[in-house]
Amino acid sequence: MPEKGYKKNLILYLSLIGFFGIFTTTMAKNPVLPLFVKGMGGSPEVIGIISAISPLAGILFSFPVGMLSDRIGKRKILLISGGVFLTAPLLYLFVSDPWYLIPVRFFHGLATAILGPVASAAIAEAYDETKGEKLGIYSSATLIGRTLAPIAGGALISYFMHRGGLFPYKSVYVAAFLASVPAFLFCFAIKDTGGDYRGKKSTREEFRDSIRYFLGDGRLVSTALVDMATYFAFGVFETYLPVYLSDNGFGAGMIGFIFSLQILSVAITKPFFGRLADRIDKRIQIAVGLTVIGLSMLSLPFFTDEVPVVVVSLTFGLGMSLSTVATSAYTGDIADKTKLGASMGALSSVMDVGHSSGPLITGFVISGFSMRAGFAISFILCLVVALLFVVFTVLKKHRRLDENRLWHKIFGVHD
C-alpha cells in the first residue's frame, strides 16, 4: 500500500479499533458490572473495590507500554492490546465469586491502558500538520462507542432477565467478546512504526531515560497536569453530579439525558476543536479549556433548575473537548519523536491518577463540608494547573535551560 494511501486510511483503522475497543470495555462495565457483582452476593464496598481496579492498570502501565511502542514498534503493542480486548470478556464467563473479578478487571484494564497512548502516538507521528483534527476524530470514535455500550448492555440484560441467575449478565460479556473481534482484526492493518534505535540500550536504560526526559521538560509535565486536573474534575462530575441532581428532585431519566447530551456534545465537537488546535496556538486553547472546566465545576452546585444545569453541563463538556484534544496534539508537537509513545503514555498515566483520585478526595471534602465545597476543589485545582501551564509553556518559552533546571530540582532528576 502506498504511504500516502496508508496515511489516509490509518485514522480510519485506528478509529475503528478505538470504537470497538472502548465499546466492548464500556459494555463490560456499565451497567453490567455492579449488577453482576450484586447478583453474586457482593456488597457495595466490594463493588467499589472492583470498580477501582481497571483504572489502576492505566496508572501503572500506560507509560511503560508507551515507551515500549517507541522501542519495538506500535503495531506489536497494538496487537497485544487487541489480544486483551479479545480474550478478557471470556474470562468473566468463568467467574462465580465477585473477588475473582479483581484480576479479570485488572487484565481487561490493560487493553485501554495500552490502546490510548499508543494510538495517540501513532496519530501524532503520522499526521504532523493535522494531528489535532485526527486526534479529535479518533477521540470522537471512542466516545461514540462509550455512549452506545451502556444502551446495548442494558438492553441485553433486560431481554434475558427472565432467564434468572447470572445468565443475563454473562450474555453481555458474550456480546462484548463478539464486539472485540473487529478491534483485534483491525490491529493487523496497522504498519509497524518506531523501534529505529532498537538494541542500542537495554529496556531498563530506555525506561530510565524516558522518565528522565519526561520529568526534565516542564512543558510536558505541566501538560500532563492539565489532563490530570481535567479528569480529576470529570471523575467528580460523573460521580457526584447524579447524587446532587437526585437530591434536588431530578429523575433518573433526566439525569441520564444530561449525561448523554454532554457526551454527544464532546463527540461532535472534538474534530472541530482538533482542527482549531491545528490553526491556533494550542497553549491558548488548553488554558482556556481548563479554565472553562473549572468555572463550570464551581457554578454547577449553585443551580437546581433543569435548563441552567443542562447549559453548565454542556459548557463543562465543551471545555473538556477544547482542552483534551489540544493536550495530545501539543505533546505531539513538543515531544522528541523517538520518545513520543513514552510521552503519550505518561500523559495517560497522570490522567488516570486524576480520574481515580478526584472522586476519592472530593468524597472526603463533601462529607466534611458540603457539595459546593467538593465541587470547588476541582475549580481550585483547574485554576492552579492552568496558571502553572501558562508559566511553563508561555512565560518561560525563551528560557528552556532555567525551566529544565527547576524541574530537575523539583523531581530530583539528574543527567
Side-chain angles (χ1 to χ4, degrees):
M1 183 184 298
E3 188 65 25
K4 186 176 180 180
Y6 171 72
K7 286 182 65 174
K8 182 178 179 181
N9 292 323
L10 176 62
I11 188 61
L12 173 62
Y13 299 146
L14 289 172
S15 294
L16 288 170
I17 294 169
F19 169 78
F20 285 108
I22 299 304
F23 178 84
T24 185
T25 54
T26 304
M27 179 184 278
K29 176 180 63 174
N30 187 12
V32 66
L33 185 63
L35 300 176
F36 187 33
V37 175
K38 185 178 179 182
M40 291 185 288
S43 65
E45 291 80 7
V46 175
I47 293 173
I49 292 171
I50 293 171
S51 297
I53 291 298
S54 184
L56 181 62
I59 295 172
L60 295 177
F61 286 98
S62 289
F63 179 76
V65 299
M67 183 272 295
L68 282 174
S69 75
D70 293 327
R71 184 176 180 82
I72 68 174
K74 294 174 178 59
R75 182 176 187 266
K76 297 181 182 70
I77 302 297
L78 284 174
L79 283 171
I80 295 173
S81 175
V84 177
F85 279 125
L86 187 67
T87 56
L90 298 176
L91 299 179
Y92 295 87
L93 303 180
F94 300 98
V95 173
S96 56
D97 184 305
W99 291 108
Y100 292 150
L101 283 173
I102 290 178
V104 173
R105 287 298 299 162
F106 186 85
F107 179 68
H108 209 169
L110 291 175
T112 50
I114 296 170
L115 176 63
V118 177
S120 296
I123 292 170
E125 184 179 75
Y127 303 98
D128 188 40
E129 299 297 326
T130 60
K131 65 172 69 73
E133 179 182 358
K134 297 301 190 294
L135 285 165
I137 292 171
Y138 168 78
S139 184
S140 291
T142 65
L143 285 168
I144 293 170
R146 194 182 302 276
T147 303
L148 295 178
I151 299 172
L156 279 170
I157 293 172
S158 298
Y159 183 80
F160 288 110
M161 189 56 71
H162 68 280
R163 296 287 298 270
L166 299 178
F167 185 89
Y169 313 123
K170 292 192 175 184
S171 71
V172 175
Y173 294 110
V174 172
F177 163 73
L178 295 174
S180 67
V181 173
F184 176 65
L185 293 178
F186 277 113
C187 291
F188 287 94
I190 306 300
K191 283 185 178 180
D192 227 344
T193 59
D196 295 336
Y197 51 97
R198 181 172 40 195
K200 293 182 180 179
K201 295 180 179 179
S202 69
T203 302
R204 180 182 297 178
E205 288 175 322
E206 191 57 45
F207 183 76
R208 187 170 58 247
D209 286 349
S210 295
I211 293 177
R212 184 187 298 119
Y213 170 76
F214 178 79
L215 294 180
D217 192 321
R219 298 173 304 167
L220 287 173
V221 174
S222 59
T223 303
L225 291 177
V226 169
D227 269 5
M228 184 273 291
T230 298
Y231 280 88
F232 182 101
F234 181 66
V236 174
F237 182 93
E238 65 180 355
T239 303
Y240 294 108
L241 183 62
V243 177
Y244 171 75
L245 295 179
S246 179
D247 289 345
N248 283 278
F250 285 69
M254 186 60 189
I255 294 173
F257 171 76
I258 290 172
F259 276 85
S260 297
L261 191 64
Q262 187 212 59
I263 294 173
L264 184 62
S265 71
V266 176
I268 291 172
T269 57
K270 271 213 167 183
F272 169 77
F273 286 141
R275 194 177 303 118
L276 181 66
D278 292 327
R279 288 162 172 75
I280 69 170
D281 191 328
K282 297 177 181 66
R283 297 169 297 178
I284 296 174
Q285 184 168 328
I286 292 168
V288 170
L290 188 59
T291 303
V292 169
I293 291 169
L295 291 172
S296 299
M297 291 297 290
L298 181 66
S299 59
L300 260 173
F302 287 89
F303 297 106
T304 55
D305 294 329
E306 291 179 357
V307 173
V309 167
V310 169
V311 170
V312 177
S313 298
L314 285 175
T315 303
F316 175 91
L318 293 177
M320 192 170 176
S321 178
L322 191 69
S323 175
T324 53
V325 73
T327 53
S328 295
Y330 182 61
T331 300
D333 284 344
I334 64 177
D336 186 322
K337 300 307 178 187
T338 64
K339 291 182 171 58
L340 191 52
S343 299
M344 291 293 185
L347 205 69
S348 184
S349 291
V350 176
M351 175 197 77
D352 282 330
V353 170
H355 201 182
S356 299
S357 63
L360 178 65
I361 294 172
T362 302
F364 285 110
V365 175
I366 291 173
S367 297
F369 298 94
S370 66
M371 185 70 74
R372 289 181 179 178
F375 276 68
I377 292 296
S378 293
F379 164 72
I380 294 170
L381 179 63
C382 288
L383 184 63
V384 170
V385 171
L387 291 173
L388 187 67
F389 176 79
V390 170
V391 167
F392 280 96
T393 63
V394 180
L395 300 183
K396 285 182 173 287
K397 65 180 180 178
H398 298 301
R399 290 187 288 170
R400 267 301 263 128
L401 291 176
D402 290 342
E403 173 187 331
N404 273 341
R405 288 188 188 120
L406 176 58
W407 283 103
H408 280 231
K409 287 179 181 179
I410 292 175
F411 292 101
V413 179
H414 303 288
D415 291 327

